[in-house]
Amino acid sequence: MTPESYQLDDTDRRILLALDEDPRVPTMMLAQRLGLARGTVQTRMERLASSGALRPNSSRVKPASVGRGVSAVVSAELDQSHLEEAIAALSLIPEVLECVAPAGDTDLLIRAVATDPDDLYRVSEEIRLCPGITRTSTSMILRDVIPYRTTALLNNLS
Amino acid sequence: MTPESYQLDDTDRRILLALDEDPRVPTMMLAQRLGLARGTVQTRMERLASSGALRPNSSRVKPASVGRGVSAVVSAELDQSHLEEAIAALSLIPEVLECVAPAGDTDLLIRAVATDPDDLYRVSEEIRLCPGITRTSTSMILRDVIPYRTTALLNNLS
DNA sequence: GGTATCACTGATCATTTTGACTAACATGGA
DNA sequence: TCCATGTTAGTCAAAATGATCAGTGATACC
């Protein structure tokens, strides 16, 4: 079942919102909080999970709480013919939390963390040495202006 | 209690890993899976939650599943004297999922989603019109090379 | 050496939740 | 009108929860 195969309705949205703010809330409490029958919520949650609307991982761990207080954006240019190799190598670096391929001049945008600026240097060197990567530019993140959220989106679906 | 006030140990890490891959696993199953007493896991989870190691929100919702299949990185330059205004305005745009302030030439890096390229244009216009923002550059994300993860990090703590 | 503190274990208890079923009811489409 | 689907509201045994407790090692401190 692909993510698009099923259109979420208002009830799904409310369930997702509630789950987002408290992933471990018991189904029964959720049901009475939303004014629904337990069976309904149960069915919906199963469907949401199997349809892929909920990611398998929850991403609730703050890197800072495991000693990675410094985070950075690394943009990398690469030899396109070695794309897959580069991806494989990047995947092996634990400090690489995320990587996307945008259209435009930069080939890869990488989100990385480190314990301190020195460590960040080490991490960015590791990234630079990945096969196929020709050039990197690292910017430390000074402020997390809006931490990742989907709440606003869920609240504003027509 | 600040996030740094308490050093996570191996047990905490294993709990976080398990919770990350299945946020709704019952405490008891978690305990027997990790080979710990239920009370121990219960105590740890309470501490992890109150110490801030676990984010309040789980971020498990895939934007694609709510019809936002297009995502982009928007870099914005701004009039620094209007920073707070810009942030406030950006926060009001539901399609803005995340925003960080990196050191360097770009002042803000914004992660946004949209229903389709046309809609992305609309969203990036909304961003551009935020007070204080002088200039933006939008790059559609062609591929989610490494989706956000903390698993590798948790697995590689010394 | 003795002792206090702390975390973990393994046990209890009543209460709540779960998963897997029903049957009844409403609604909207063929 | 009939049918499929989603919702509600029940049931049931099994399991999990939250709140305890005493016992056992560690570790640190005097």
Side-chain angles (χ1 to χ4, degrees), chain B residues 5-148:
Chain B
S5 66
Y6 160 63
Q7 189 58 37
L8 301 187
D9 65 6
D10 186 73
T11 305
D12 292 309
R13 252 180 49 215
R14 295 203 298 143
I15 292 174
L16 289 177
L17 268 173
L19 277 183
D20 196 56
E21 79 180 35
D22 181 4
R24 291 181 62 79
V25 65
T27 314
M28 208 162 194
M29 282 192 182
L30 218 168
Q32 62 193 57
R33 194 176 302 171
L34 301 183
L36 297 169
R38 184 176 69 104
T40 307
V41 177
Q42 206 164 319
T43 313
R44 296 287 190 137
M45 291 198 347
E46 280 159 16
R47 186 170 50 194
L48 285 170
S50 71
S51 75
L54 286 171
R55 291 180 199 273
N57 60 334
S58 72
S59 307
R60 286 177 70 208
V61 181
K62 286 189 189 171
S65 73
V66 289
R68 265 54 176 195
V70 171
S71 73
V73 174
V74 181
S75 50
E77 285 173 39
L78 69 128
D79 177 355
Q80 299 279 6
S81 63
H82 293 101
L83 176 61
E84 297 306 322
E85 281 175 70
I87 293 173
L90 284 171
S91 299
L92 295 179
I93 304 176
E95 288 88 355
V96 168
L97 300 192
E98 191 183 15
C99 175
V100 297
D105 7 288
T106 23
D107 296 316
L108 292 176
L109 255 188
I110 297 155
R111 182 70 173 274
V113 289
T115 58
D116 53 61
D118 259 19
D119 188 45
L120 179 57
Y121 181 77
R122 177 190 61 80
V123 171
S124 69
E125 275 298 288
E126 268 195 58
I127 292 173
R128 198 179 55 78
L129 294 174
C130 284
I133 290 189
T134 55
R135 181 184 172 71
T136 65
S137 155
T138 302
S139 297
M140 195 144 92
I141 291 177
L142 303 179
R143 180 173 164 194
D144 233 317
V145 176
I146 302 177
Y148 190 87

Side-chain angles (χ1 to χ4, degrees), chain A residues 61-70 113, chain B residues 3-4:
Chain A
V61 180
K62 286 188 187 169
S65 73
V66 289
R68 265 54 174 197
V70 171
V113 289
Chain B
E4 282 72 25

Side-chain angles (χ1 to χ4, degrees), chain A residues 3-4 6-8 13 16-17 19-27 30 45 49 51-69 73 83-84 87 90-104 106 108-109 111 113 138-154 156-157, chain B residues 3-4 6-8 13 16-17 19-27 30 45 49 52-69 73 83-84 87 90-104 106 108-109 111 113 138-154 156-158:
Chain A
E4 282 72 24
Y6 159 64
Q7 190 57 38
L8 301 187
R13 253 180 48 216
L16 288 177
L17 269 173
L19 276 183
D20 197 55
E21 78 180 35
D22 182 4
R24 291 182 62 80
V25 66
T27 314
L30 218 168
M45 290 200 344
S51 75
L54 286 171
R55 289 181 200 274
N57 61 332
S58 71
S59 307
R60 287 178 69 207
V61 180
K62 286 188 187 169
S65 73
V66 289
R68 265 54 174 197
V73 174
L83 176 62
E84 297 306 322
I87 292 172
L90 284 172
S91 300
L92 295 179
I93 305 176
E95 288 87 355
V96 168
L97 299 191
E98 192 183 15
C99 175
V100 297
T106 21
L108 292 177
L109 254 189
R111 182 71 173 275
V113 289
T138 302
S139 296
M140 196 142 91
I141 291 178
L142 303 178
R143 181 174 165 194
D144 233 318
V145 175
I146 302 176
Y148 190 87
R149 60 170 191 182
T150 46
T151 323
L153 196 56
L154 286 171
N156 283 276
L157 295 179
Chain B
E4 282 72 25
Y6 160 63
Q7 189 58 37
L8 301 187
R13 252 180 49 215
L16 289 177
L17 268 173
L19 277 183
D20 196 56
E21 79 180 35
D22 181 4
R24 291 181 62 79
V25 65
T27 314
L30 218 168
M45 291 198 347
L54 286 171
R55 291 180 199 273
N57 60 334
S58 72
S59 307
R60 286 177 70 208
V61 181
K62 286 189 189 171
S65 73
V66 289
R68 265 54 176 195
V73 174
L83 176 61
E84 297 306 322
I87 293 173
L90 284 171
S91 299
L92 295 179
I93 304 176
E95 288 88 355
V96 168
L97 300 192
E98 191 183 15
C99 175
V100 297
T106 23
L108 292 176
L109 255 188
R111 182 70 173 274
V113 289
T138 302
S139 297
M140 195 144 92
I141 291 177
L142 303 179
R143 180 173 164 194
D144 233 317
V145 176
I146 302 177
Y148 190 87
R149 60 169 190 183
T150 46
T151 324
L153 197 56
L154 286 171
N156 282 277
L157 294 179
S158 43

